[in-house]
Amino acid sequence: MNVDLIFKIAAIGILVSVLNLVLKHSGREEQAMMTTLVGIVVVLFMVIQLISDLFTTVKTMFQLY
């Protein structure tokens, strides 16, 4: 597993949390919720891509010749 992915997910989490706090303190709670949802979706797409790569690797390993 690549350590860069963990750092990317952590950076997205920190950025989303800071934006969430700023937007909530300015009274824009709907935008704060949307920012949180967008951050979750971005991280999920990253993880889904890794799971897809894993399934492809397992499929090629157990493929009969």
Side-chain angles (χ1 to χ4, degrees):
M1 186 171 173
N2 200 354
V3 179
D4 292 338
L5 178 69
I6 296 171
F7 287 138
K8 286 179 185 177
I9 291 173
I12 290 171
I14 291 169
L15 181 66
V16 166
S17 65
V18 168
L19 284 173
N20 194 1
L21 285 173
V22 168
L23 288 170
K24 277 191 177 182
H25 284 296
S26 66
R28 299 181 177 182
E29 294 177 4
E30 292 178 2
Q31 286 87 1
M33 179 63 71
M34 292 302 292
T35 304
T36 304
L37 289 175
V38 168
I40 291 171
V41 168
V42 168
V43 170
L44 282 177
F45 276 128
M46 292 168 63
V47 171
I48 287 172
Q49 180 64 37
L50 282 177
I51 292 172
S52 173
D53 293 343
L54 173 68
F55 284 151
T56 303
T57 303
V58 170
K59 182 180 174 183
T60 57
M61 282 179 56
F62 291 111
Q63 187 177 19
L64 296 175
Y65 292 103

